[in-house]
Amino acid sequence: MSKLRSDPLIFFSAAGFITVFVAATIGFGDSARELYSHVSAWMMDHFSWLYIGGVSAVFLFRIVISVSRYGNFRLGDDDDEPEYSLPVWFSMLFAAGMGATLMFWGAAEPLHHAFNPPRGGMESMSDSAVRQAFEFTYYHFGIHMWVIFTLPGLAMGYFVYKRKMPARYSSIFSPLLGKRVYKWPHRFLWRRVWTRA
């Protein structure tokens, strides 16, 4: 029978940080909201290009991978056969990755952006604000969102199913760190909080 195992240092460090962060946010109320708004606005003003450019670069990288000889690389043993067909895999991924998201944010995001236009100083709920709101929503729910899903999925799939490593994010960094990836301080920075025995 499997049981849950936790690394005490990682678990209590994460739980402690979350508890302090939530308590401080509740305790400081409006001051915390203003601080988060300023930080968010500063990051949007200075690093939005990095977000959009980074995801676009990863998109191009995924296209190159797909059309190269690595596009037919099997994530598993060389003689393994796919457990499900491509349409079934796509349906499962779409349902898991988008189903719940679309049910809420598919309506909430364009309404939020139309009511609070993110750019251009437009009047709330004006025609131009509504058009911009849908432009943002189409971008967020388009190809770029799938790129963000597929990059860590591809990396995890390779190291778990091809290299037979533990299903932890730390496994992705093994080419850079070797065996040190599971030792201090890398263990604290990258290891998953829990694993199943």
Side-chain angles (χ1 to χ4, degrees):
M1 180 177 178
S2 64
K3 67 177 183 177
L4 190 67
R5 294 188 306 167
S6 299
D7 184 311
L9 174 64
I10 297 172
F11 178 82
F12 289 111
S13 296
F17 174 80
I18 292 169
T19 302
V20 170
F21 182 83
V22 171
T25 300
I26 294 171
F28 288 101
D30 291 340
S31 298
R33 184 177 63 204
E34 290 177 10
L35 174 64
Y36 301 155
S37 296
H38 285 307
V39 171
S40 176
W42 183 83
M43 292 185 69
M44 283 289 292
D45 290 340
H46 293 86
F47 294 105
S48 59
W49 63 271
L50 181 61
Y51 170 76
I52 295 173
V55 175
S56 299
V58 172
F59 174 62
L60 295 176
F61 169 74
R62 291 291 291 116
I63 293 296
V64 170
I65 290 291
S66 298
V67 300
S68 71
R69 63 188 179 93
Y70 297 107
N72 293 321
F73 200 74
R74 188 164 297 187
L75 296 179
D77 295 330
D78 293 337
D79 56 350
D80 281 349
E81 292 295 329
E83 190 170 349
Y84 301 100
S85 66
L86 184 60
V88 173
W89 269 115
F90 177 81
S91 299
M92 289 191 292
L93 291 171
F94 187 86
M98 294 285 289
T101 304
L102 281 174
M103 290 295 290
F104 179 79
W105 288 109
E109 181 170 353
L111 183 60
H112 171 74
H113 290 321
F115 191 77
N116 301 292
R119 294 196 180 277
M122 303 171 184
E123 183 182 350
S124 178
M125 299 303 288
S126 64
D127 290 343
S128 55
V130 171
R131 281 195 296 272
Q132 180 182 248
F134 278 102
E135 290 170 0
F136 271 83
T137 303
Y138 292 150
Y139 176 80
H140 290 158
F141 283 90
I143 292 174
H144 282 67
M145 186 175 84
W146 286 97
V147 170
I148 295 171
F149 285 167
T150 58
L151 183 65
L154 177 64
M156 286 290 291
Y158 175 77
F159 286 100
V160 172
Y161 295 108
K162 196 68 177 177
R163 293 282 193 91
K164 309 299 183 186
M165 298 185 71
R168 299 192 292 239
Y169 286 117
S170 55
S171 297
I172 298 173
F173 299 94
S174 61
L176 299 174
L177 301 173
K179 293 181 179 180
R180 293 177 299 160
V181 76
Y182 301 121
K183 297 179 180 178
W184 178 267
H186 311 104
R187 177 173 65 97
F188 179 76
L189 296 174
W190 301 114
R191 186 175 175 183
R192 281 181 57 181
V193 172
W194 60 270
T195 57
R196 288 192 179 274

PDB file of all heavy atoms in Angstrom, residues 154-169:
ATOM      1  N   LEU A 154       7.010  18.221 -22.302  1.00  0.00           N
ATOM      2  CA  LEU A 154       7.992  17.535 -23.129  1.00  0.00           C
ATOM      3  C   LEU A 154       9.233  17.189 -22.315  1.00  0.00           C
ATOM      4  O   LEU A 154       9.763  16.069 -22.401  1.00  0.00           O
ATOM      5  CB  LEU A 154       8.374  18.410 -24.324  1.00  0.00           C
ATOM      6  CG  LEU A 154       9.447  17.866 -25.256  1.00  0.00           C
ATOM      7  CD1 LEU A 154       8.960  16.590 -25.930  1.00  0.00           C
ATOM      8  CD2 LEU A 154       9.835  18.910 -26.289  1.00  0.00           C
ATOM      9  N   ALA A 155       9.708  18.155 -21.520  1.00  0.00           N
ATOM     10  CA  ALA A 155      10.897  17.906 -20.706  1.00  0.00           C
ATOM     11  C   ALA A 155      10.654  16.799 -19.691  1.00  0.00           C
ATOM     12  O   ALA A 155      11.472  15.881 -19.533  1.00  0.00           O
ATOM     13  CB  ALA A 155      11.314  19.199 -19.998  1.00  0.00           C
ATOM     14  N   MET A 156       9.519  16.846 -18.992  1.00  0.00           N
ATOM     15  CA  MET A 156       9.198  15.806 -18.013  1.00  0.00           C
ATOM     16  C   MET A 156       9.039  14.455 -18.695  1.00  0.00           C
ATOM     17  O   MET A 156       9.520  13.433 -18.203  1.00  0.00           O
ATOM     18  CB  MET A 156       7.922  16.166 -17.254  1.00  0.00           C
ATOM     19  CG  MET A 156       8.091  17.263 -16.233  1.00  0.00           C
ATOM     20  SD  MET A 156       9.074  16.749 -14.814  1.00  0.00           S
ATOM     21  CE  MET A 156       7.963  15.578 -14.042  1.00  0.00           C
ATOM     22  N   GLY A 157       8.341  14.449 -19.830  1.00  0.00           N
ATOM     23  CA  GLY A 157       8.136  13.193 -20.547  1.00  0.00           C
ATOM     24  C   GLY A 157       9.443  12.545 -20.961  1.00  0.00           C
ATOM     25  O   GLY A 157       9.611  11.322 -20.855  1.00  0.00           O
ATOM     26  N   TYR A 158      10.390  13.353 -21.414  1.00  0.00           N
ATOM     27  CA  TYR A 158      11.681  12.806 -21.836  1.00  0.00           C
ATOM     28  C   TYR A 158      12.421  12.169 -20.672  1.00  0.00           C
ATOM     29  O   TYR A 158      12.876  11.019 -20.758  1.00  0.00           O
ATOM     30  CB  TYR A 158      12.537  13.892 -22.488  1.00  0.00           C
ATOM     31  CG  TYR A 158      13.924  13.415 -22.821  1.00  0.00           C
ATOM     32  CD1 TYR A 158      14.152  12.605 -23.921  1.00  0.00           C
ATOM     33  CD2 TYR A 158      15.012  13.761 -22.017  1.00  0.00           C
ATOM     34  CE1 TYR A 158      15.430  12.149 -24.217  1.00  0.00           C
ATOM     35  CE2 TYR A 158      16.286  13.317 -22.310  1.00  0.00           C
ATOM     36  CZ  TYR A 158      16.485  12.514 -23.408  1.00  0.00           C
ATOM     37  OH  TYR A 158      17.744  12.054 -23.697  1.00  0.00           O
ATOM     38  N   PHE A 159      12.565  12.887 -19.567  1.00  0.00           N
ATOM     39  CA  PHE A 159      13.372  12.374 -18.452  1.00  0.00           C
ATOM     40  C   PHE A 159      12.672  11.261 -17.679  1.00  0.00           C
ATOM     41  O   PHE A 159      13.330  10.376 -17.141  1.00  0.00           O
ATOM     42  CB  PHE A 159      13.761  13.526 -17.513  1.00  0.00           C
ATOM     43  CG  PHE A 159      14.822  14.412 -18.085  1.00  0.00           C
ATOM     44  CD1 PHE A 159      14.497  15.620 -18.664  1.00  0.00           C
ATOM     45  CD2 PHE A 159      16.142  14.005 -18.076  1.00  0.00           C
ATOM     46  CE1 PHE A 159      15.475  16.431 -19.215  1.00  0.00           C
ATOM     47  CE2 PHE A 159      17.130  14.805 -18.618  1.00  0.00           C
ATOM     48  CZ  PHE A 159      16.797  16.019 -19.199  1.00  0.00           C
ATOM     49  N   VAL A 160      11.348  11.274 -17.638  1.00  0.00           N
ATOM     50  CA  VAL A 160      10.625  10.226 -16.916  1.00  0.00           C
ATOM     51  C   VAL A 160      10.506   8.960 -17.753  1.00  0.00           C
ATOM     52  O   VAL A 160      10.783   7.857 -17.278  1.00  0.00           O
ATOM     53  CB  VAL A 160       9.229  10.731 -16.484  1.00  0.00           C
ATOM     54  CG1 VAL A 160       8.396   9.589 -15.921  1.00  0.00           C
ATOM     55  CG2 VAL A 160       9.366  11.830 -15.450  1.00  0.00           C
ATOM     56  N   TYR A 161      10.108   9.107 -19.023  1.00  0.00           N
ATOM     57  CA  TYR A 161       9.812   7.928 -19.828  1.00  0.00           C
ATOM     58  C   TYR A 161      10.976   7.445 -20.683  1.00  0.00           C
ATOM     59  O   TYR A 161      11.009   6.282 -21.084  1.00  0.00           O
ATOM     60  CB  TYR A 161       8.597   8.194 -20.721  1.00  0.00           C
ATOM     61  CG  TYR A 161       7.347   8.417 -19.924  1.00  0.00           C
ATOM     62  CD1 TYR A 161       6.775   9.680 -19.814  1.00  0.00           C
ATOM     63  CD2 TYR A 161       6.740   7.365 -19.241  1.00  0.00           C
ATOM     64  CE1 TYR A 161       5.630   9.881 -19.061  1.00  0.00           C
ATOM     65  CE2 TYR A 161       5.601   7.559 -18.499  1.00  0.00           C
ATOM     66  CZ  TYR A 161       5.056   8.812 -18.404  1.00  0.00           C
ATOM     67  OH  TYR A 161       3.921   9.011 -17.651  1.00  0.00           O
ATOM     68  N   LYS A 162      11.939   8.307 -20.965  1.00  0.00           N
ATOM     69  CA  LYS A 162      13.094   7.882 -21.754  1.00  0.00           C
ATOM     70  C   LYS A 162      14.309   7.630 -20.869  1.00  0.00           C
ATOM     71  O   LYS A 162      14.997   6.627 -21.023  1.00  0.00           O
ATOM     72  CB  LYS A 162      13.426   8.952 -22.804  1.00  0.00           C
ATOM     73  CG  LYS A 162      14.339   8.446 -23.909  1.00  0.00           C
ATOM     74  CD  LYS A 162      13.625   7.420 -24.778  1.00  0.00           C
ATOM     75  CE  LYS A 162      14.503   6.958 -25.923  1.00  0.00           C
ATOM     76  NZ  LYS A 162      13.824   5.916 -26.706  1.00  0.00           N
ATOM     77  N   ARG A 163      14.574   8.525 -19.948  1.00  0.00           N
ATOM     78  CA  ARG A 163      15.726   8.374 -19.062  1.00  0.00           C
ATOM     79  C   ARG A 163      15.396   7.576 -17.801  1.00  0.00           C
ATOM     80  O   ARG A 163      16.286   7.287 -17.009  1.00  0.00           O
ATOM     81  CB  ARG A 163      16.254   9.746 -18.657  1.00  0.00           C
ATOM     82  CG  ARG A 163      16.859  10.568 -19.787  1.00  0.00           C
ATOM     83  CD  ARG A 163      18.261  10.086 -20.108  1.00  0.00           C
ATOM     84  NE  ARG A 163      18.971  11.012 -20.955  1.00  0.00           N
ATOM     85  CZ  ARG A 163      19.734  12.005 -20.524  1.00  0.00           C
ATOM     86  NH1 ARG A 163      19.875  12.216 -19.234  1.00  0.00           N
ATOM     87  NH2 ARG A 163      20.352  12.801 -21.363  1.00  0.00           N
ATOM     88  N   LYS A 164      14.093   7.298 -17.576  1.00  0.00           N
ATOM     89  CA  LYS A 164      13.628   6.498 -16.418  1.00  0.00           C
ATOM     90  C   LYS A 164      14.016   7.160 -15.098  1.00  0.00           C
ATOM     91  O   LYS A 164      14.435   6.498 -14.152  1.00  0.00           O
ATOM     92  CB  LYS A 164      14.195   5.069 -16.460  1.00  0.00           C
ATOM     93  CG  LYS A 164      13.975   4.350 -17.788  1.00  0.00           C
ATOM     94  CD  LYS A 164      12.522   4.203 -18.111  1.00  0.00           C
ATOM     95  CE  LYS A 164      12.329   3.413 -19.404  1.00  0.00           C
ATOM     96  NZ  LYS A 164      10.928   3.371 -19.836  1.00  0.00           N
ATOM     97  N   MET A 165      13.878   8.460 -15.031  1.00  0.00           N
ATOM     98  CA  MET A 165      14.192   9.192 -13.813  1.00  0.00           C
ATOM     99  C   MET A 165      12.921   9.437 -13.013  1.00  0.00           C
ATOM    100  O   MET A 165      11.811   9.289 -13.539  1.00  0.00           O
ATOM    101  CB  MET A 165      14.882  10.516 -14.159  1.00  0.00           C
ATOM    102  CG  MET A 165      16.204  10.326 -14.876  1.00  0.00           C
ATOM    103  SD  MET A 165      17.074  11.881 -15.136  1.00  0.00           S
ATOM    104  CE  MET A 165      17.573  12.235 -13.458  1.00  0.00           C
ATOM    105  N   PRO A 166      13.046   9.823 -11.739  1.00  0.00           N
ATOM    106  CA  PRO A 166      11.859  10.082 -10.922  1.00  0.00           C
ATOM    107  C   PRO A 166      11.005  11.207 -11.511  1.00  0.00           C
ATOM    108  O   PRO A 166      11.526  12.123 -12.148  1.00  0.00           O
ATOM    109  CB  PRO A 166      12.433  10.496  -9.566  1.00  0.00           C
ATOM    110  CG  PRO A 166      13.816   9.955  -9.545  1.00  0.00           C
ATOM    111  CD  PRO A 166      14.290   9.964 -10.967  1.00  0.00           C
ATOM    112  N   ALA A 167       9.705  11.122 -11.310  1.00  0.00           N
ATOM    113  CA  ALA A 167       8.777  12.131 -11.839  1.00  0.00           C
ATOM    114  C   ALA A 167       8.807  13.370 -10.959  1.00  0.00           C
ATOM    115  O   ALA A 167       7.853  13.675 -10.241  1.00  0.00           O
ATOM    116  CB  ALA A 167       7.370  11.557 -11.918  1.00  0.00           C
ATOM    117  N   ARG A 168       9.934  14.081 -11.026  1.00  0.00           N
ATOM    118  CA  ARG A 168      10.123  15.309 -10.261  1.00  0.00           C
ATOM    119  C   ARG A 168      10.709  16.362 -11.187  1.00  0.00           C
ATOM    120  O   ARG A 168      11.456  16.046 -12.117  1.00  0.00           O
ATOM    121  CB  ARG A 168      11.072  15.066  -9.077  1.00  0.00           C
ATOM    122  CG  ARG A 168      10.574  14.035  -8.093  1.00  0.00           C
ATOM    123  CD  ARG A 168      11.389  14.064  -6.829  1.00  0.00           C
ATOM    124  NE  ARG A 168      12.737  13.606  -7.024  1.00  0.00           N
ATOM    125  CZ  ARG A 168      13.270  12.560  -6.374  1.00  0.00           C
ATOM    126  NH1 ARG A 168      12.551  11.887  -5.512  1.00  0.00           N
ATOM    127  NH2 ARG A 168      14.519  12.221  -6.588  1.00  0.00           N
ATOM    128  N   TYR A 169      10.383  17.598 -10.920  1.00  0.00           N
ATOM    129  CA  TYR A 169      10.930  18.669 -11.749  1.00  0.00           C
ATOM    130  C   TYR A 169      12.447  18.716 -11.679  1.00  0.00           C
ATOM    131  O   TYR A 169      13.112  19.151 -12.619  1.00  0.00           O
ATOM    132  CB  TYR A 169      10.342  20.022 -11.340  1.00  0.00           C
ATOM    133  CG  TYR A 169       8.913  20.198 -11.788  1.00  0.00           C
ATOM    134  CD1 TYR A 169       7.898  20.350 -10.870  1.00  0.00           C
ATOM    135  CD2 TYR A 169       8.582  20.202 -13.136  1.00  0.00           C
ATOM    136  CE1 TYR A 169       6.581  20.506 -11.278  1.00  0.00           C
ATOM    137  CE2 TYR A 169       7.285  20.351 -13.554  1.00  0.00           C
ATOM    138  CZ  TYR A 169       6.280  20.509 -12.619  1.00  0.00           C
ATOM    139  OH  TYR A 169       4.986  20.654 -13.030  1.00  0.00           O
TER     140      TYR A 169
END
